[in-house]
Amino acid sequence: MARMEVHDQRAKLRQLADDFSWLEGHCLKQPELADHAAHLRMAAALTRNVVGPSAEGQLPKPLFIAVVGGAGAGKSTVVNFLAGSVVAEANPQAGYTRHPTAFLPAALGTTWPTTLGFLGPLNRLSEAKPADLDEDVYQVRRVPPTTGADPLGDFVIWDCPDMTTWASTGYVGRLMEVVGLADVVVYVASDERYNDEVPTQFLHHVVRAGKAVVVVLTKMREADADALTEHFRQEVLGKLPRGEGGEIPPIPCVAISNLSPEIRKDPAGLGAKYRVCLLNQLLALCPTPVATRGRTTRNALVYLQTAGDGLLDVARRDLTELDLWRGLVEAGREDFEKRYAREFLSGETFRRFDRTREQVIEMLELPGPGKLISATLALLRLPYRYARDFVAKLLARPEMPTQPERVVLATALAAMLDSLQADALRRASSHPVWKQVTHGFDAGLKTQTLDAFEALYRDYEAAETDELDAAAKAVPDRLAAHPVPLLFLRLLVLAIDMAAVGATLYFTWGPSLYQLLLIPVVVSLSRQVVELVVRQVVEFGRTRLRNHRLSLVREKLSLPLSQRLIEWPTSGGTAMQKLQQVLLRVPATIRELSARLAPPTAIKEPAPS
Ligand SMILES: Nc1nc2c(ncn2[C@@H]2O[C@H](COP(=O)(O)OP(=O)(O)OP(=O)(O)O)[C@@H](O)[C@H]2O)c(=O)[nH]1
Ligand SMILES: [Mg+2]
């Protein structure tokens, strides 16, 4: 691999482990996701301690054994049996061991993994300290050399803290880090607490992570050994989850019955019977370092893939709540628009259109010599005009004072924000998204949104002025641009007048003064008809403008503002934004790693029979 590539891959692995850790923290904040937290912690540990070193071509030696179990189960004692001498501090106080200690066989020399980020958050102690030191540290100790070949010469043995309180964040993180590293996990359970819930749950995680497991049952009476083993097989091992698709070897059970203090002090001599049995089972699971580490890595990748698939579960609740937020904002936007239509548009008369009407009627007057006719007709209609204006004045209702448009919009927006704030507050205890939105409102989200509105409004105002002008001038402009149809309309209007006059004269023939009085009435009537038609045309334009105005408000104001609000929880470096980032990044990185480390093997064609 080129240097660039190595560097790139390291950064990606580090990012992946960090993302898992971040997701774990995210889950710990939500009680119903606590179960995922353990998965994610395991995934982070596997990334740092198995996948990372393998990707960098770390040698399969040393292999790692992690000895785990409930408090006081006898883990430290089992470590001594594995090492063949008393190296670990066994202590009657349950929960004594508080940080992991690695015991290096003499045969291994100074070999120690050097991958960056190895054992993640744990710092290596430079000097020996008591096993009950309760800090995020680990220590490395040497096993004194034995006479003859050491059967576990390739293995580092880890004495681990218990997992009794592993649901809390305390020292269990240290345990998980080492379990992630392990090629074999030795699970110790004592007779009185062999079926405790928390250690058993932990065993489930270990198996799902694809670790090879050896069970050691301790402290039972010699006579009960077989019965207890059988019981454990059925009650605990029988209920293990199925693996994630990796190759998980069967789980052997070794019984170490109640040991006298003398045997405990001499594991390789007086305790040899138990020790040999334990070593045999363990070594049977580890044919060669290459095969063993290969399995650990493959299973880790399988686990990471399923962890990647499980991410959506982690985020499902968040995404549902985000959808809910989106729905609330959308509903708020619709209310906002309805309120604008009701409180402003429906009362808005667009006075500008009154001028349009007059303009159109003027345009219908005859030009040139026709002016004379128009003037005559106008003269004849004079009494009608006065009467009409007089009646109109009588009937006119005082105009309703409407609020300025900007005020109506700003008020509607403020109301929408208040209602969103109340909604978020009501849900604040149900999910972090709402808490975040509530904090946002406390920190001025409303003012920010109203400021954004003011800025958008300037744009909107410019657009609406142009639109009003264009809409009002539409009919006169069109008439002016088409002189032939205009002339036709003018003649039509004239023809109506003439026809009315002609018809009146014809039907009431026999000249008299009354008949002459009828003529102003008739031309007034025909004028009334023309004006009605013009009014209808202009009114049509007005309605169209109202609809347009609503879509203009939507386009320039309500959509951008609601979009802003919808995106608010997932922008500006918030937890939700990070969540979305991580959800995209993690599966992509895992796919890439899997492709690089375990290229899919070609499916073999079945041999023709
Ligand atoms: N009687 C008897 N005591 C044992 C046996 N095995 C271990 N012990 C004692 O039980 C106590 C706990 O054993 P440890 O090996 O320290 O257990 P552990 O699982 O490491 O415990 P923590 O580190 O405290 O979680 C110690 O005092 C041991 O000496 C046994 O077979 N019989
Ligand atoms: Mg211990």
Side-chain angles (χ1 to χ4, degrees), residues 67-81 88-98 131 159-164 171 188 218-220 256-261 264:
V67 181
V68 307
K75 298 179 292 295
S76 299
T77 308
V78 168
V79 167
N80 292 337
F81 271 74
E89 303 157 59
N91 194 293
Q93 184 196 333
Y96 177 79
T97 308
R98 283 301 173 102
D159 188 14
C160 295
D162 67 279
M163 78 293 276
T164 309
Y171 53 90
V188 184
T218 60
K219 298 189 189 178
M220 79 293 274
I256 299 185
S257 57
N258 205 353
L259 302 169
S260 68
R264 271 183 265 146

Side-chain angles (χ1 to χ4, degrees), residues 363 470 472-486 537 544:
M363 287 178 89
K473 286 200 311 212
V475 177
D477 280 359
R478 198 179 288 174
L479 287 179
H482 297 90
V484 176
L486 176 60
V537 170
R544 255 213 353 217

Side-chain angles (χ1 to χ4, degrees), residues 1-12 56 596:
M1 234 188 303
R3 250 193 53 215
M4 242 343 253
E5 256 179 84
V6 173
H7 188 267
D8 183 52
Q9 176 169 287
R10 244 182 226 161
K12 278 201 170 138
E56 297 207 358
R596 195 174 296 171

Side-chain angles (χ1 to χ4, degrees), residues 123-129 138-140:
N123 292 314
R124 181 172 172 173
L125 284 177
S126 53
E127 61 204 61
K129 289 270 173 74
Y138 68 95
Q139 48 182 312
V140 180

Side-chain angles (χ1 to χ4, degrees), residues 130-442:
D132 63 344
L133 176 68
D134 193 357
E135 285 174 21
D136 279 340
V137 293
Y138 68 95
Q139 48 182 312
V140 180
R141 292 191 191 175
R142 304 204 152 270
V143 177
T146 47
T147 48
D150 181 358
L152 293 188
D154 289 337
F155 291 81
V156 170
I157 306 158
W158 284 92
D159 188 14
C160 295
D162 67 279
M163 78 293 276
T164 309
T165 52
W166 80 301
S168 74
T169 46
Y171 53 90
V172 182
R174 303 168 202 161
L175 166 64
M176 207 54 134
E177 197 64 33
V178 174
V179 167
L181 164 71
D183 296 286
V184 185
V185 171
V186 174
Y187 180 81
V188 184
S190 68
D191 68 336
E192 66 287 341
R193 324 193 59 177
Y194 70 94
N195 199 4
D196 275 8
E197 190 182 336
V198 172
T200 303
Q201 248 179 32
F202 189 80
L203 179 61
H204 285 202
H205 278 285
V206 171
V207 171
R208 285 177 75 174
K211 300 296 181 183
V213 176
V214 178
V215 170
V216 180
L217 298 171
T218 60
K219 298 189 189 178
M220 79 293 274
R221 291 191 307 150
E222 184 100 49
D224 296 339
D226 289 345
L228 181 67
T229 308
E230 195 44 44
H231 206 66
F232 189 87
R233 281 217 170 92
Q234 272 175 17
E235 291 301 307
V236 180
L237 297 186
K239 291 176 185 159
L240 283 179
R242 309 208 59 76
E244 308 278 18
E247 8 127 23
I248 299 169
I251 301 178
C253 276
V254 178
I256 299 185
S257 57
N258 205 353
L259 302 169
S260 68
E262 292 71 37
I263 301 182
R264 271 183 265 146
K265 276 193 203 115
D266 187 14
L270 293 173
K273 176 176 97 171
Y274 302 107
R275 179 168 190 244
V276 169
C277 181
L278 176 56
L279 293 186
N280 281 343
Q281 297 290 4
L282 197 146
L283 289 170
L285 294 178
C286 309
T288 63
V290 174
T292 307
R293 179 55 53 78
R295 175 182 63 209
T296 308
T297 308
R298 279 193 302 280
N299 287 357
L301 280 171
V302 171
Y303 187 84
L304 290 194
Q305 272 155 10
T306 52
D309 297 343
L311 285 184
L312 271 187
D313 275 345
V314 171
R316 184 159 295 136
R317 181 73 201 283
D318 301 274
L319 297 178
T320 316
E321 301 294 326
L322 281 177
D323 270 355
L324 205 61
W325 166 247
R326 170 189 292 269
L328 285 177
V329 175
E330 293 284 3
R333 178 179 65 77
E334 275 169 31
D335 282 350
F336 169 86
E337 285 164 9
K338 273 188 204 139
R339 189 164 165 175
Y340 168 72
R342 191 174 62 234
E343 291 180 11
F344 179 78
L345 273 189
S346 66
E348 170 63 21
T349 46
F350 297 116
R351 290 321 266 299
R352 174 79 172 70
F353 277 88
D354 295 348
R355 206 141 41 84
T356 306
R357 203 174 64 215
E358 282 157 20
Q359 215 178 340
V360 172
I361 287 176
E362 264 164 38
M363 287 178 89
L364 291 177
E365 301 296 335
L366 293 169
K371 267 191 188 135
L372 205 63
I373 305 175
S374 292
T376 316
L377 287 170
L379 202 64
L380 286 173
R381 288 180 195 125
L382 219 47
Y384 154 76
R385 283 266 299 274
Y386 283 132
R388 186 196 63 182
D389 290 352
F390 180 71
V391 172
K393 223 175 241 165
L394 272 188
L395 293 181
R397 274 171 294 169
E399 243 189 63
M400 295 282 279
T402 47
Q403 299 258 43
E405 186 173 24
R406 200 181 60 78
V407 175
V408 172
L409 285 167
T411 314
L413 180 61
M416 164 183 169
L417 291 167
D418 285 342
S419 130
L420 285 174
Q421 183 174 13
D423 272 326
L425 193 62
R426 208 169 325 117
R427 293 164 207 258
S429 59
S430 70
H431 192 272
V433 168
W434 305 107
K435 208 173 283 167
Q436 190 190 327
V437 172
T438 305
H439 284 327
F441 274 114
D442 290 344

Side-chain angles (χ1 to χ4, degrees), residues 26-61:
H26 181 72
C27 288
L28 286 175
K29 281 188 222 136
Q30 300 169 59
E32 72 272 15
L33 292 178
D35 203 38
H36 286 288
H39 271 297
L40 291 161
R41 173 167 285 178
M42 180 70 91
L46 289 171
T47 307
R48 282 192 285 262
N49 305 321
V50 175
V51 179
S54 287
E56 297 207 358
Q58 194 95 82
L59 291 174
K61 272 208 270 188

